[in-house]
Amino acid sequence: MVVSLSRRGEVEPFHAMDILAEANRLKATGVSVVSMAVGQPSDPAPVRVREAAANALKIGRIGYTDTLGLADLRKAIAAHYGDHYGIDVAPNRIAVTTGSSAAFNLAFLAMFDPGDRVAIAAPGYPAYRNIMAALGIEIVEIELGSDAYLHAEHLKSAHREKPLKGVLFASPANPTGAVIPADELSALVAIAEELGIAVISDEIYHRLAYAAPDTTALAYGSGVTVINSFSKYYCMTGWRIGWMVLPEALVRPIERIAQSLYISPPELSQIAAIEAFKATDELEAVKARYAWNRELLMQRLPELGFPLAAPMDGAFYAFCDVTRHTNDSMAFARKMLAEAHVAATPGRDFDPLAGHRTMRFSYAGSHDDMVEAMARIERWLK
């Protein structure tokens, strides 16, 4: 038997998913596990979202749509930018995608060629690095160190070393939860445009900031590409539905690539997602619980010897320094899962260089689960 293996398959595994798989194996044997490993809301999609999907199933309306998505959903997303940010976005600049993951694939394919240099922050979401590595893009990881977020000076310094073709950042960020302040975001986009660096802004955790209103990078540059999703705030992870806001020059290239890669986003999910923008009351109640969980972890994690490595401004993550307990966060995460039955993500996922010193705890679960997790970790450490 001949099996051909590409070097693209040699990318680093997504360790959060490996930890989740091990947690699920333990659960299957009857062990009670509290999972703080994966960034997934514990709540289902809003009621009206599920009702819209159920009605569509009854009608049987599930098929291909336009590659860039249903017109009604693109209009709803465009209206959201007016309602939430006060920004006018034309529906024809919206591309609906099969989750934000497909949006990143499409952006990287349409915007960069093999060998192009693209800057990302470290720590940062591992899929950025892994997808670009598989595509032959040169990843320039900017170690944030004591800085909470990527800023203009980082970009200027990296560009001086060797010109960059693009930069990708998230605010609020995964894994840190840090938010780029509006003035710093404006300066970051401005210096990128001045230096001819294409900007991708990952805004998947928008509407999950706790100390300041959301600011979209679209407010500061006409060439910005924004990626967002219904997964996080809207509690629709498994529906695999996201979107892009594109400069007009990118709309047709993205459409052409998507036609062959995906044909179209799933119609059932698109129909349901239209209703998500009308479920704010239900979703704000979920966010209020995240805020409650956040307050708990901000107090309890440092008490347990896990000082915060970044401010918990948004998303639903606490990113912690674990060097009081270990210099091998991967082994520590496995041991904590096996013995304390609490799952969290080792920092190696987010920072290959310094990730052995950190871990990410997701607080998207129930408050009772967060209380129980802290109690289990405390008993285990003793």
Side-chain angles (χ1 to χ4, degrees):
M1 180 176 67
V2 177
V3 177
S4 177
L5 296 175
S6 163
R7 291 176 60 188
R8 293 185 180 92
E10 297 174 3
V11 296
E12 186 84 5
F14 196 168
H15 297 293
M17 301 309 295
D18 288 346
I19 292 288
L20 176 64
E22 181 57 31
N24 288 337
R25 282 192 286 271
L26 282 173
K27 288 179 182 178
T29 67
V31 175
S32 169
V33 175
V34 179
S35 182
M36 303 177 72
V38 179
Q40 173 166 263
S42 58
D43 291 81
V47 171
R48 65 187 306 143
V49 168
R50 287 176 280 141
E51 288 177 345
N55 290 336
L57 279 173
K58 288 178 184 176
I59 297 168
R61 180 187 159 190
I62 306 169
Y64 295 140
T65 69
D66 288 352
T67 296
L68 295 181
L70 291 171
D72 286 349
L73 179 54
R74 296 171 77 190
K75 289 176 184 176
I77 293 168
H80 165 68
Y81 280 88
D83 295 340
H84 191 63
Y85 303 99
I87 289 177
D88 184 23
V89 173
N92 63 7
R93 290 178 56 199
I94 307 291
V96 181
T97 59
T98 307
S100 64
S101 299
F104 288 117
N105 293 341
L106 292 166
F108 299 157
L109 286 165
M111 297 172 71
F112 310 123
D113 292 316
D116 284 345
R117 287 166 44 87
V118 177
I120 60 173
Y125 181 50
Y128 303 154
R129 180 188 341 115
N130 293 344
I131 297 170
M132 285 194 283
L135 294 174
I137 296 167
E138 183 181 343
I139 303 125
V140 180
E141 294 200 75
I142 297 174
E143 288 286 338
L144 295 182
S146 60
D147 292 328
Y149 48 81
L150 195 70
H151 54 65
E153 291 303 316
H154 288 132
L155 205 59
K156 285 195 286 187
S157 177
H159 190 72
R160 273 197 301 267
E161 290 179 14
K162 190 177 178 182
L164 297 168
K165 184 70 177 291
V167 61
L168 165 59
F169 52 80
S171 177
N174 177 11
T176 64
V179 170
I180 304 175
D183 59 338
E184 295 280 7
L185 180 60
S186 174
L188 180 58
V189 173
I191 195 64
E193 293 201 336
E194 178 185 322
L195 297 173
I197 300 169
V199 173
I200 302 173
S201 178
D202 177 356
E203 300 182 358
I204 191 172
Y205 292 100
H206 273 212
R207 304 190 74 175
L208 290 174
Y210 305 100
D214 290 327
T215 302
T216 176
L218 293 170
Y220 304 117
S222 59
V224 170
T225 293
V226 160
I227 293 175
N228 207 324
S229 169
F230 290 93
S231 289
K232 306 302 182 178
Y233 176 78
Y234 300 99
C235 301
M236 294 178 68
T237 52
W239 299 73
R240 309 313 304 139
I241 194 77
W243 75 84
M244 310 171 78
V245 183
L246 299 165
E248 289 186 10
L250 267 177
V251 173
R252 183 57 179 159
I254 290 287
E255 183 177 24
R256 288 196 301 262
I257 297 169
Q259 285 170 342
S260 292
L261 281 182
Y262 305 106
I263 299 180
S264 73
E267 184 175 25
L268 184 68
S269 298
Q270 292 189 69
I271 293 167
I274 294 169
E275 298 300 315
F277 295 114
K278 305 170 189 173
T280 299
D281 288 348
E282 187 176 348
L283 294 168
E284 285 297 303
V286 174
K287 180 182 176 181
R289 192 187 70 248
Y290 298 156
W292 189 19
N293 292 348
R294 172 177 175 265
E295 292 298 322
L296 173 71
L297 267 60
M298 285 176 71
Q299 175 186 336
R300 294 289 284 131
L301 286 170
E303 289 175 352
L304 295 173
F306 301 99
L308 297 176
M312 296 169 64
D313 296 331
F316 32 58
Y317 303 120
F319 192 60
C320 297
D321 184 326
V322 297
T323 53
R324 175 173 166 181
H325 302 293
T326 184
N327 276 313
D328 185 346
S329 62
M330 185 82 72
F332 189 80
R334 291 191 178 114
K335 189 175 176 65
M336 188 170 74
L337 175 57
E339 298 177 0
H341 302 147
V342 176
T345 304
R348 171 65 183 274
D349 252 351
F350 312 105
D351 188 345
L353 182 64
H356 61 284
R357 303 169 54 89
T358 55
M359 289 181 69
R360 187 195 72 179
F361 297 82
S362 169
Y363 54 87
S366 72
H367 191 70
D368 287 347
D369 276 354
M370 299 302 103
V371 172
E372 176 63 18
M374 296 302 100
R376 289 185 185 188
I377 293 171
E378 184 172 33
R379 290 194 298 268
W380 176 63
L381 291 173
K382 288 180 178 178

